[in-house]
Amino acid sequence: MASDLAPLVLEHLSQLYSAHDATVKKQASRWLEDFQKKPDAWQVADLLINNPSANMETRLFAAQTLRQKITYDLQDLDGTARASLRDSLLVLLGKSAGSKAITVQLCIALADLAAQFKEWKSVLQDIVDNYAGNPATAFCLLEFLKVLPEELANNRRLPLTDKEYEDRNVELLENSASEIIRLLLMYLQSSGGNVDIQQATMECLMSWMRAGVISIQMLGETPLLMMAFDGLEHEELLDVCSDVVCAILFELRDVDECKSLIEQVYPRFTPMLAKIQGALADEDDDRVRTFGRIFVQAGEAVIPLLAKHPEAFQVLLHGILAVGTCTDLDVALLSSKFWYDLTNTLVTDHYAPAIPQFHPYFDQLVDIILRQIQYPAEDTTAAEIDDFKAFRHDIGDTLKDCCRILTPQKCLAKPMIVLSQRMRNDGQPASWQEIEAPIFALRTMGAEVPDDENEIMPQIMATLSELPEHPKIRYAATLVISCYSFWTRKHPDLILYQLNFISSGFGEPDVAAASALALKNLCRDCNKVLVNYIEQLHPFYIGVVKMLPYRDAIEVTEAVAHVLDALPVANLPGALQSFCMPIAQELHEKISIDKLAATKDDLTRAADMLEIIATFLLVIHPKVEAQQPHPCVEFIKELWPIFTACLVNFGDRPPIAESLTNVFKLSMNSYGKYLLPILPQLFDLIDQGFTATFLGDYMWLAKSAVRIYASEDHPNSSMMAFGLLQRISTTLFAKIDTGKFDAVPDVIQQYFLMAGEFIDAAPSQVIQSELLPTMFEAGLVGLAMEDPSALSAIIGFYTRLLGIALSVDGLVVATPSPVYGQNGARIAALFTQFGQNFVSRQLDGMMFTFPSDLVQDGANALKRLAQLKPEESGQWVLATIETYNDVVITDRNQLLENYVAASHARNWSKIRRLLADFANLYRRKNTKRRR
C-alpha cells in the first residue's frame, strides 16, 4: 500500500511546488494534508525520507509528516513500534546534518516522541551518544536540545494530561539542567571560533532559560553568564546574545536575591552606553534597538534598587534616556514601560523621599518627548503619519508619568515656554509643526492636572486666542479645551470664551470633529452652568447639526443633551420641543417620500435623524417624582406617529430598521418602568415590524425588551413580555420552513438569545408553557446550521435548560434516581422525549459542522445531559457513535469504555473532555467529510 501511495504523494508534491495554477496548488496542498492523516502515512514517509534519490522538498515533506503523525497519531503504535521509530529517527537525524530545514523537523519529531514515549528513559544520553562525538552532527544535538523545552512548554496538541506534561518536564528538563549547562559550556569553550556552533549554543541556552529550567543562580555559578555579555562584542552573535542577556536581566528582578549578580554585570553597561551613543550618532537604529532593549530590560529589573540609589545607576538612566531620542519611533517607545514602572514605584510612600533626585532625569525626558512629538515634514506618507499618530498616543502616557514626578505645574510650564518662544520668533516664523507640538503636549497632560490649578492653566487658555491660524493648530488648540473641560467647570468665567472658540471651528472642515468633541465634553462637565446659555445654544445647534457629518452631529447632539439633562424637570418638555422637533420634522419629511422615489441618501438621512433623537434619549435622565409623568416618555408619545410612519413606510429597509429599533432600545434602557403605559403599543410595533419584514433588527429589539421587562419580580411587565415572545415565536415558526434556518442566521441567533434571556428572568413562565416543546424542536433543527453565532445561541439555550434542571431548585435531590422540581421534571421529560435526536445532532455538529471553537460548548451541553440522564445519555451516545462507519474501532471502544467509567464515577468533567477530544481527533482525521 505504501508503494502505491508514494507515487501519488510525489505527483501532488510536484503540483504543489511546480504548478502555475493556484487552484491546482490548493487542491494538491489539501490532498497532502489529508494524506498525512492516513495510517499509511507512517510507511510512506519512512519510504520517501530514506530514498537516496528523493529531492529536498520530498524529504522535507516526509519529515513534516513524521512530525505530524507523532503529534497526533502516536497511539497507533505500540511500545515496540515506538522504539523502532525512535531508533529510525536517530539515524535519520544524523544523516540530515547538511539540511537545516529537515534537521529542525526531525528534532521536533524526536522531541514530541520523547514527550509521549514514557518508556524512553535515556533521552539526553542517547542524543549525546549519537551526536556529541562528531563535529558534523553537533548542530543536530544543539537543535534537539533547543526544541525539546519549546515543545514541552508550547505544544499543547500532544495527547498528554497536565500531570503527564508536568512529569515529563521534570524527567526530561529539570533533572537534566546541570548536565545541559555543562554541555553548553563545553561547546562554547571548544568552538574554536565556529560562529555557527556558538550561535546554536546560545539559542539552546535561551530556550532552556525561557522554559524556566536553568535559573539565574545556576547560570551565575558558571562562565556562561559573562560569555553571553562577551558575545555582544561580535557582530555575528549580537542578536542571539542580546536575547540571552535580556533573559538574564529579566531574571534579576529579585534584587535582594540577585544583588551580587547585579553588581557583577552592571560594569558591562558603561561600554554599552558608548555603543548606544555611537549608534545614535551613526543613525544606526538597529543597533540602538539592540542595546536599548538591554538597557530597558536592566532598568525594569532593578527598579527597586534604582529607586533607592539613583546615583549608583546613572549609566543605566542615561542609556534609557538615550533610547528615547532615537529617530525610529518604535525604538523610542521601548523605554515607556520603564518610566511608567519607575513612576509607580516612586510615588509610593516608601520611595517618595527619593523623587527630587529623579527630577533631572524626568526633566530631560520631557524635553526629549517635546522634540519627538513634532509632526514630520509635509512630504511624509499617509502610513508614516498613522504610525506617528500612534506613537504620540503612546508617548503621551509617559508625559503623564512626568507630571506625577515633576508636578503638573512644572510639566505644563515646559511646553508653554517652548510655545511662547516659538510664537515670539522675530526671525523666520515657526512652522505649524513647531507650534502644534507643544499644544499637543499640553493636551496630553490634561488627565494629571488638578481642577484647582491656577498658575499655568489661565496662561494656556489666554494663549489659545493668540495662536496663528492654521487648521492643524486650531484642531490641537480645540482639543486642549476638550481635555480641560473638567478644569473649566471650576472656572466658569471662561465658558463663554471657550464656547465661542469651539463654535468658530465648525466652519473649518478639518476642525469640525475636534469642535464637536470639545463641545460634548464642555457641555457634559459644565452642564449646570450652561443651562444659562440654553437660548444661545438653540439657534447654534439647529443651524450646525444639519450641516455636520453624522459622527460630528451625534457628538454635538450629545453635548446639547447634557445641558438639557441639567434643566429643571418643569423646563424639559419645552426644551425637548425646541431642540428635537426640528429634527423630527425633517425626519417626517424624509419618510413621507414615496417609497419608490426615495433615494439611498434619503434613507441614510432619515436614519441619521433617528439616531440623533436616540442620542437625546440616551443622555437625558431627569429625576421624576413617583406618579408624575415622565417628560421624555411624554415626548416619545408625541413622536409615536412619526415612528409608526417610519415602520410602515420604510421599516423593511435596513438603515431605517436598525436606527428605529435603536431608538426604542435606548428608550427602554433609559426609562424602564416609566415606559409601562406605552409598553403594549411598543410590543405591538415590534411584532408588526418583525411580521412585516422578518428582519433581525426587530428580533434584537424583542430580545432587549425581554431582558428589561421579563423579570418575574414584576408580574405585569413579565406577562406582557411573554406575550411578545409568544407572538414573535408564532410569526417565526409560521413564516419560515425549519429546513431554511440558514437563510436567516441573525434572526435565529437573536431568537434563541431572547429565549435564553427569558429563561434566566422568568424560567417557570417559559418552561411550563406550551411554547417550550416547539422551541426545543426548533433548536434541534438549528443545530444543523453553519452560522457560528446562531449555533452558539442555540447551544446556550439548551445549556441554560440543563442548568436549570441541575440547579438546587430544579433538582431537589442529586441521587441515581433524582427527584426533580416542577421545572426540572418538565425539562427532563423533554430530554427523555428528544434525547436521542439531541445527542445525535450535537455529536454530528461536533464531529462535522460546528466551528472548532464550539466543540467544547457542545461537549459541555452533553456533559450536563449526562448529569441529568446518566444511563440514557450513555445509550444515546453509543447509538450515535455506532452510526459513524469511518470511526476507528479501537478509538470508539476506548471512548465508550472511558465514558461509562466516568459516568459511573460521576466524573462529569471527564465526560466533557472525552467527547471533545474524540470529536477533535475525528475532525483531524476526516477533513474531507467535514467539507
Side-chain angles (χ1 to χ4, degrees), residues 204-275:
C204 183
L205 174 60
M206 183 73 209
S207 178
W208 282 70
M209 288 186 67
R210 281 179 176 157
V213 180
I214 295 179
S215 69
I216 189 65
Q217 287 77 17
M218 296 170 64
L219 204 59
E221 295 172 356
T222 75
L224 283 174
L225 182 71
M226 286 307 170
M227 283 180 169
F229 282 89
D230 293 339
L232 298 174
E233 301 295 327
H234 303 280
E235 199 66 34
E236 302 90 340
L237 300 176
L238 185 58
D239 288 342
V240 64
C241 285
S242 65
D243 288 340
V244 174
V245 166
C246 284
I248 290 170
L249 295 170
F250 180 80
E251 296 300 328
L252 298 178
R253 289 167 301 160
D254 188 345
V255 294
D256 294 328
E257 183 76 20
C258 300
K259 195 170 183 180
S260 62
L261 289 174
I262 293 171
E263 292 172 349
Q264 186 179 349
V265 303
Y266 185 68
R268 295 291 187 128
F269 284 88
T270 300
M272 271 195 279
L273 177 58
K275 290 181 183 295

Side-chain angles (χ1 to χ4, degrees), residues 366-653:
V366 174
D367 292 336
I368 291 169
I369 293 174
L370 285 174
R371 291 194 296 271
Q372 292 281 42
I373 62 175
Q374 183 170 309
Y375 252 94
E378 299 281 2
D379 59 353
T380 308
T381 66
E384 290 171 334
I385 290 294
D386 288 342
D387 291 341
F388 173 75
K389 288 179 178 178
F391 165 78
R392 289 217 301 186
H393 174 80
D394 293 334
I395 205 68
D397 292 335
T398 306
L399 272 178
K400 297 184 182 75
D401 297 331
C402 294
C403 287
R404 298 169 67 193
I405 299 302
L406 296 173
T407 73
Q409 288 79 10
K410 289 182 180 178
C411 280
L412 288 171
K414 293 181 78 68
M416 267 304 296
I417 292 170
V418 171
L419 180 60
S420 299
Q421 291 172 344
R422 292 175 180 177
M423 289 175 62
R424 286 199 310 267
N425 190 352
D426 296 328
Q428 184 178 359
S431 66
W432 72 261
Q433 291 96 332
E434 293 174 309
I435 298 295
E436 191 271 349
I439 299 173
F440 174 84
L442 293 171
R443 161 192 159 195
T444 300
M445 297 177 190
E448 298 299 326
V449 177
D451 59 8
D452 59 355
E453 204 289 318
N454 291 314
E455 181 182 344
I456 308 296
M457 284 301 303
Q459 299 176 39
I460 294 173
M461 292 301 166
T463 303
L464 297 182
S465 61
E466 302 171 3
L467 294 170
E469 281 299 325
H470 190 282
K472 296 286 188 183
I473 295 174
R474 184 74 176 196
Y475 182 93
T478 303
L479 290 181
V480 168
I481 293 177
S482 175
C483 289
Y484 287 98
S485 56
F486 69 93
W487 180 87
T488 305
R489 182 174 56 225
K490 291 290 187 71
H491 301 80
D493 54 305
L494 292 172
I495 285 181
L496 186 57
Y497 158 71
Q498 292 187 5
L499 274 177
N500 291 331
F501 190 95
I502 292 169
S503 60
S504 63
F506 283 104
E508 287 273 1
D510 292 336
V511 184
S515 296
L517 178 61
L519 185 64
K520 180 182 76 172
N521 289 340
L522 186 67
C523 290
R524 181 197 62 213
D525 289 337
C526 306
N527 60 346
K528 289 182 173 59
V529 179
L530 283 168
V531 294
N532 299 320
Y533 297 91
I534 198 80
E535 293 185 3
Q536 293 95 319
L537 278 174
H538 177 257
F540 162 76
Y541 173 74
I542 296 302
V544 79
V545 75
K546 295 182 179 181
M547 69 177 214
L548 288 174
Y550 167 71
R551 289 296 172 193
D552 297 342
I554 291 295
E555 292 206 316
V556 171
T557 300
E558 189 175 338
V560 170
H562 281 298
V563 179
L564 267 58
D565 190 46
L567 287 170
V569 175
N571 296 349
L572 188 53
L576 285 169
Q577 285 282 341
S578 61
F579 280 89
C580 292
M581 270 307 176
I583 306 298
Q585 288 166 1
E586 182 181 354
L587 172 61
H588 185 263
E589 292 170 7
K590 292 295 182 185
I591 60 163
S592 298
I593 300 173
D594 181 84
K595 193 167 186 176
L596 296 177
T599 66
K600 181 180 179 181
D601 288 343
D602 291 329
L603 296 180
T604 300
R605 184 60 181 170
D608 291 350
M609 295 297 100
L610 282 166
E611 294 292 350
I612 288 172
I613 292 171
T615 302
F616 280 108
L617 302 177
L618 171 68
V619 174
I620 301 174
H621 300 105
K623 294 181 180 178
V624 179
E625 297 293 334
Q627 309 305 319
Q628 293 297 314
H630 195 292
C632 294
V633 176
E634 295 303 310
F635 186 67
I636 291 171
K637 290 180 181 178
E638 288 188 53
L639 297 181
W640 200 263
I642 297 178
F643 295 149
T644 302
C646 287
L647 175 65
V648 172
N649 296 342
F650 295 102
D652 60 339
R653 304 292 181 90

